[in-house]
């Protein structure tokens, strides 16, 4: 597989980066180019979903006929609990828009047979025709979805062990301190099958991961570096997240 340079857009701040990501998602959905969306969670996506919700409420956008596949879910966290990604998606997107509940897919972290659930999820993506546009955040250790460093670039949806760094970063959602040790996540290979990929990173805590993803070695040490194996990746960063880029990509500045 050959390497490609992701298209990079650097905005002056996080709010502008989120608005730009939302604009791209909204225009692809509105044109019918993105009928199947890969959806992400995390703090970075909250303002993106807020823009999309505002557009739906202003009747400028509709998710009618759109299918969503979320990247991941914690193992053992019931969907009604606020820390689950099911609850996150209801709170930030699904319950506030016309997204059809039966078209909103999230891995079932309570499934009695997690390996069977992972295969079922892969099959559901395939049956929907594959993902048109995959929205991604990035962990400060370079993870995408919950594919931690070391994840094989050919990996598929599966159960993974969460790293200590990731468990610490997500601990705020678990006030009782019971941060799950495992998650179900689409694999790096699953993500790379999306037709288009849009990664959004904001804040200085993502600067090292963004530099490693774009300018570091192509290595499972930084799972996001695998995105360079895909021809149609756009990365939107604010200045803070772009602050450790020092190769030729550092010259690309798009101040909106
Ligand atoms: C989480 C999610 C990722 C997300 C990342 C960054 O653990 N599994 O999909 O992109 O970590 O989250 P945040 O946007 O809160 O920094």
């Amino acid at each position: 597989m050959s390497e490609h340079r992701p298209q990079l857009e650097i905005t002056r701040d996080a709010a502008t980066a989120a608005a730009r990501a939302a604009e791209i998602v909204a225009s692809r959905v509105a044109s019918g180019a993105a009928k199947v969306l890969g959806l992400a969670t995390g703090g970075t996506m909250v303002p993106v979903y807020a823009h999309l919700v505002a557009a739906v409420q202003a009747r400028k956008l509709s998710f009618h006929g759109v299918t969503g596949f979320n990247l991941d879910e914690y193992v053992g966290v019931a969907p009604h609990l606020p820390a689950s990604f099911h609850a996150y998606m209801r709170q930030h997107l699904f319950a506030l828009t016309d997204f059809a509940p039966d078209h909103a897919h999230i891995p079932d972290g309570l499934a009695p047979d997690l390996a069977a659930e992972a295969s079922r999820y892969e099959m559901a993506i395939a049956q929907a025709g594959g993902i048109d546009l995959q929205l991604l955040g990035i962990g400060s250790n370079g993870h995408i979805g919950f594919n931690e460093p070391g994840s094989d670039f050919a990996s598929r949806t599966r159960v993974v062990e969460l790293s200590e760094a990731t468990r610490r970063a997500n601990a705020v959602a678990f006030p009782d301190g019971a941060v799950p040790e495992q998650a179900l996540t689409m694999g790096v290979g699953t993500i790379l099958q999306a037709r288009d990929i849009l990664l959004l990173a904001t804040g200085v805590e993502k600067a090292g991961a963004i530099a490693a993803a774009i300018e570091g070695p192509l290595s499972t040490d930084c799972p996001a570096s695998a995105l360079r194996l895909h021809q149609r990746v756009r990365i939107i960063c604010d200045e803070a997240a772009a602050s450790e880029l020092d190769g030729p990509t550092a010259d690309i500045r798009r101040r909106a």
Side-chain angles (χ1 to χ4, degrees), residues 107-166:
D108 177 5
L110 290 185
D113 181 341
L114 293 167
E117 169 61 5
S119 315
R120 184 200 66 79
Y121 204 67
E122 285 279 337
M123 256 154 61
I125 294 171
Q127 273 163 11
I131 291 171
D132 294 311
L133 176 63
Q134 176 67 57
L135 198 51
L136 285 182
I138 188 168
S140 49
N141 63 358
H143 74 222
I144 47 175
F146 268 136
N147 293 284
E148 299 284 27
S151 297
D152 196 287
F153 287 176
S155 55
R156 311 301 304 190
T157 304
R158 67 204 188 288
V159 177
V160 292
E161 306 294 320
L162 298 176
S163 71
E164 273 314 305
T166 297

Side-chain angles (χ1 to χ4, degrees), residues 84-118:
S84 70
F85 289 162
H86 280 76
Y88 172 106
M89 291 306 297
R90 274 198 306 277
Q91 184 192 344
H92 295 291
L93 189 68
F94 297 151
L96 307 174
T97 63
D98 57 351
F99 217 114
D102 58 338
H103 285 183
H105 304 274
I106 306 181
D108 177 5
L110 290 185
D113 181 341
L114 293 167
E117 169 61 5

